[in-house]
């Protein structure tokens, strides 16, 4: 029924009033979300970091709007904070109880402990097949009664795609373990530990594991200066001589350092596995007559020995608490193999994650993935979308597994050495990220009133390394925040 003119004017007035109230509330919320807290602004100013280089998103998990959204739509390099996306996707798609297998096959049945044929070792991308675990796998073969292998050791790495990988492409430091590439038969992170200690006026170097292929030339000199940044006082050069890898150490090592370990990734994956297997096999009294070659397990062949990894819930704790890049790469490849089809590849893993995001109503158009670990100059995500990912994870049944995988601020993992002035220490589960010109933290904070927050802080700037006080100022501000 049509209204009379006066009634219409009243109704219109009420409508305008309601609109004004809603507009005021929206603008107030927007202003609230846009204002950078004074302590954070001051810390950034003191660090020489312009606010335009910072992206922040902070929102209570039970709120509809963020209280802070500074440049939150801007695509940023998140460094290792990108592992949050990879590990949450892995938890949701594979489940916390998912495990990887490593299997051993024999081309011929053993007779009186002798395999008159090849031994085949097949990997399924286990990120946590450490030296101790691999020793146990070799020992299980001995317990099965095998004592001699007359054929070759055949490595089946077909679960992952064989990709061209340059370990020096990221920072021209190809022997550092964090630069190692993924592999279906990854053992001990493909790392060799060089243990240094000073004895009298000499420096002793012990190698673990000892591989026949490695030869160490020790030209180190001992001194008694402060330990300090001992790694930068060491120099090493890797040389290939026939079938040997020769590593020449020079420089100085301080007696005040006690024992230190430098981990390096030296031989290629297949050669590393072969050398390590042969060494452990001989230590346990086994005989291997053949060489190493690559192949594929014939169909319908039953394994004689197998081993499973720790569950994914344990693996992501190692990925996130200690920011293990190689394990994150392995997880991305595994997602590609499990959901995109064997062989797994980075491209398949990325496509699987994009499809998973879309299926969960998470539209991240600015997202750039390269390897899922954050060890990348290319990867990008906005603070807002990373925050929305954390909000979705908070409501997920596997939220406890994800949250417990994150470093606890000032307590453990990569944030163990952080300080929080006694206020929020132990109350924030945060993943940190660090590259040249990049610093980031993201995760969950429990404030003084017992309310849970999602917080994302990313800096992309030449002075990003100076942003730690600003991070702490933000956490302090949120910890004491009152509506």
């Amino acid at each position: 029924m049509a209204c009379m003119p006066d009634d219409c004017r009243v109704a219109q007035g009420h409508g305008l009033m309601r609109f004004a109230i809603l507009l005021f509330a929206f603008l107030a919320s927007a202003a609230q979300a846009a204002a950078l807290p004074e302590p954070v602004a001051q810390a950034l100013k003191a660090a020489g970091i312009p606010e335009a280089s910072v992206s922040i998103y902070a929102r209570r998990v039970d709120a509809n709007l963020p209280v802070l959204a500074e440049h939150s739509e801007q695509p940023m390099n998140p460094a290792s904070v990108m592992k949050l996306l990879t590990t949450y996707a892995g938890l949701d798609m594979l489940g916390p109880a998912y495990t990887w297998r490593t299997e051993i096959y024999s081309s011929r049945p053993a007779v009186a402990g002798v395999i008159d044929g090849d031994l085949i070792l097949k990997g399924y991308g286990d990120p946590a097949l450490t030296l101790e675990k691999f020793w146990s796998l070799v020992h299980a073969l001995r317990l099965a009664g095998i004592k001699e292998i007359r054929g070759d050791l055949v490595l089946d790495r077909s679960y992952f795609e064989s990709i061209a990988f340059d370990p020096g492409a990221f920072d021209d430091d190809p022997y550092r373990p964090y630069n190692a590439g993924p592999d279906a038969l990854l053992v001990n992170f493909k790392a060799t530990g060089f243990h240094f200690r000073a004895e009298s006026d000499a420096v002793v170097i012990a190698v673990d594991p000892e591989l026949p292929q490695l030869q160490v030339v020790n030209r180190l000199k001992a001194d008694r200066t402060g330990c300090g940044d001992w790694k930068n006082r060491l120099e090493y050069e890797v040389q290939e001589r026939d079938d040997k890898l020769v590593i020449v150490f020079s420089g100085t090592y301080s007696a005040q350092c006690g024992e230190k370990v430098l981990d390096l990734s030296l031989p290629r994956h297949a050669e590393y596995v072969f050398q390590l297997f042969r060494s452990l096999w001989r230590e346990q009294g086994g005989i291997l007559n053949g060489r190493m070659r690559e192949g594929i397990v014939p169909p319908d062949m039953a394994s004689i020995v197998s081993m499973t990894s720790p569950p994914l819930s344990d693996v992501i704790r190692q990925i996130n608490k200690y920011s293990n890049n190689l394990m994150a790469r392995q997880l991305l490849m595994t997602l590609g193999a499990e959901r995109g089809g064997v062989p797994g590849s980075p491209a398949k893993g990325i496509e699987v994650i994009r499809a998973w995001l879309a299926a969960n109503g998470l539209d991240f158009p600015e997202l750039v993935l390269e390897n899922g670990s954050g060890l990348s100059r290319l990867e990008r995500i906005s603070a807002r979308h990373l925050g929305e990912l954390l909000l979705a994870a908070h409501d997920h049944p596997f939220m406890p597994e994800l949250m417990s995988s994150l470093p606890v601020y000032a307590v453990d993992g990569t944030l163990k050495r952080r300080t929080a002035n006694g206020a929020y220490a132990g109350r924030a589960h945060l993943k940190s990220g660090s590259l040249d010109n990049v610093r980031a933290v993201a995760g969950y904070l429990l404030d003084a009133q017992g309310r849970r927050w999602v917080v994302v802080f990313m800096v992309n700037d030449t002075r990003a390394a100076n942003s730690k006080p600003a991070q702490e100022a933000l956490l302090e501000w949120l910890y004491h925040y009152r509506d």
Side-chain angles (χ1 to χ4, degrees):
M1 180 172 62
C3 61
M4 297 299 291
D6 288 343
D7 294 335
C8 288
R9 282 194 291 271
V10 171
Q12 289 169 355
H14 285 308
L16 288 171
M17 185 177 294
R18 284 196 298 270
F19 175 78
I21 291 171
L22 289 172
L23 179 61
F24 176 80
F26 172 80
L27 291 175
S29 296
Q32 183 184 34
L36 197 61
E38 185 62 23
V40 180
Q42 289 297 327
L44 289 172
K45 184 178 179 180
I49 299 172
E51 292 183 12
S53 299
V54 180
S55 184
I56 300 175
Y57 186 87
R59 176 175 160 185
R60 284 213 322 262
V61 298
D62 59 349
N64 294 322
L65 293 170
V67 300
L68 191 58
E70 179 80 3
H71 303 120
S72 64
E73 306 282 348
Q74 183 173 313
M76 302 286 280
N77 186 326
S80 283
V81 168
M82 189 63 89
K83 293 180 175 72
L84 289 168
L85 173 58
T86 307
T87 53
Y88 174 40
L91 268 178
D92 185 52
M93 285 188 272
L94 302 177
Y98 178 87
T99 56
W100 289 261
R101 305 186 314 280
T102 305
E103 299 171 339
I104 296 180
Y105 300 80
S106 171
S107 65
R108 293 184 181 180
V111 177
V114 177
I115 297 175
D116 192 15
D118 300 326
L119 193 75
I120 309 170
L121 184 60
K122 181 175 177 63
Y124 290 86
D126 183 355
L129 187 56
T130 61
L131 177 60
E132 295 78 13
K133 287 276 189 180
F134 196 60
W135 183 93
S136 296
L137 182 65
V138 174
H139 188 59
L141 190 64
R142 290 289 286 121
L143 291 177
I146 310 300
K147 60 183 180 182
E148 183 179 354
I149 304 157
R150 291 181 176 170
D152 295 333
L153 179 66
V154 180
L155 305 183
D156 185 342
R157 305 155 66 203
S158 61
Y159 190 69
F160 287 171
E161 184 177 284
S162 178
I163 56 176
F165 185 82
D166 179 5
F170 179 73
D171 58 5
D172 199 29
D173 202 348
Y175 303 115
R176 298 304 298 272
Y178 61 76
N179 276 327
D183 197 272
L185 196 49
L186 175 70
V187 179
N188 200 43
F189 311 113
K190 200 169 80 72
T192 303
F194 295 88
H195 298 246
F196 304 94
R197 68 180 187 276
E199 291 185 357
S200 300
D201 295 326
V203 180
V204 177
I205 304 176
V207 183
D208 184 33
E210 289 189 83
L211 302 177
Q213 185 190 21
L214 286 182
Q215 179 181 333
V216 175
V217 177
N218 183 1
R219 295 177 182 166
L220 283 169
K221 296 180 180 179
D223 64 25
R224 296 192 174 276
T225 59
C227 188
D229 192 3
W230 63 275
K231 287 184 180 179
N232 283 335
R233 300 172 63 198
L234 289 176
E235 295 180 3
Y236 62 87
E237 180 185 0
V238 179
Q239 305 169 355
E240 293 191 26
R241 299 178 186 172
D242 299 326
D243 61 343
K244 296 284 186 182
L245 273 177
V246 180
I247 180 164
V248 181
F249 286 102
S250 57
T252 60
Y253 183 80
S254 172
Q256 295 187 30
C257 289
E259 182 172 321
K260 298 288 187 181
V261 182
L262 176 67
D263 288 322
L264 296 175
S265 177
L266 297 172
R268 297 179 181 88
H269 279 289
E271 189 64 31
Y272 181 87
V273 173
F274 174 66
Q275 294 281 345
L276 185 56
F277 177 90
R278 185 170 64 177
S279 178
L280 296 176
W281 182 244
R282 288 176 176 175
E283 279 182 13
Q284 299 188 38
I287 300 171
L288 174 61
N289 295 318
R291 296 179 173 272
M292 181 271 289
R293 59 187 176 86
E294 300 202 42
I296 296 177
V297 176
D300 303 323
M301 180 178 285
S303 64
I304 55 175
V305 170
S306 66
M307 175 170 285
T308 57
S309 73
L312 178 60
S313 57
D314 287 353
V315 169
I316 67 165
R317 285 174 63 85
Q318 296 180 60
I319 293 175
N320 286 331
K321 280 197 181 287
Y322 303 102
S323 208
N324 192 301
N325 295 298
L326 183 50
M327 295 178 84
R329 290 176 183 265
Q330 293 284 113
L331 178 55
L332 182 72
M333 297 279 278
T334 300
L335 285 170
E338 291 286 348
R339 290 301 184 97
V342 177
S345 68
K348 286 182 181 178
I350 291 168
E351 186 58 35
V352 164
I353 287 181
R354 289 190 179 279
W356 169 79
L357 287 170
N360 285 277
L362 298 170
D363 181 21
F364 299 174
E366 84 291 353
L367 177 67
V368 178
L369 280 170
E370 183 182 18
N371 54 50
S373 76
L375 189 70
S376 167
R377 305 294 182 195
L378 304 177
E379 294 195 331
R380 295 290 187 275
I381 193 169
S382 70
R384 174 192 161 193
H385 286 150
L386 192 52
E388 290 177 356
L389 181 84
L390 288 166
L391 287 166
H394 186 269
D395 293 334
H396 194 278
F398 300 150
M399 178 274 286
E401 282 75 15
L402 180 67
M403 188 178 293
S404 67
S405 77
L406 305 181
V408 181
Y409 202 93
V411 174
D412 68 3
T414 55
L415 298 180
K416 183 176 182 178
R417 296 183 180 179
R418 295 286 183 100
T419 58
N421 300 320
Y424 51 90
R427 298 176 69 91
H429 290 75
L430 300 170
K431 180 75 195 77
S432 62
S434 175
L435 292 174
D436 288 344
N437 304 329
V438 178
R439 290 297 185 275
V441 290
Y444 304 98
L445 169 71
L446 189 67
D447 72 12
Q449 300 179 63
R451 303 171 302 180
R452 186 83 64 187
W453 292 79
V454 160
V455 55
V456 181
F457 182 107
M458 293 190 285
V459 180
N460 287 186
D461 190 84
T462 55
R463 296 183 177 89
N466 301 328
S467 65
K468 181 181 170 183
Q471 293 178 15
E472 294 175 346
L474 174 63
L475 294 172
E476 184 79 21
W477 183 78
L478 288 172
Y479 178 75
H480 294 292
Y481 183 83
R482 290 187 178 274
D483 296 319

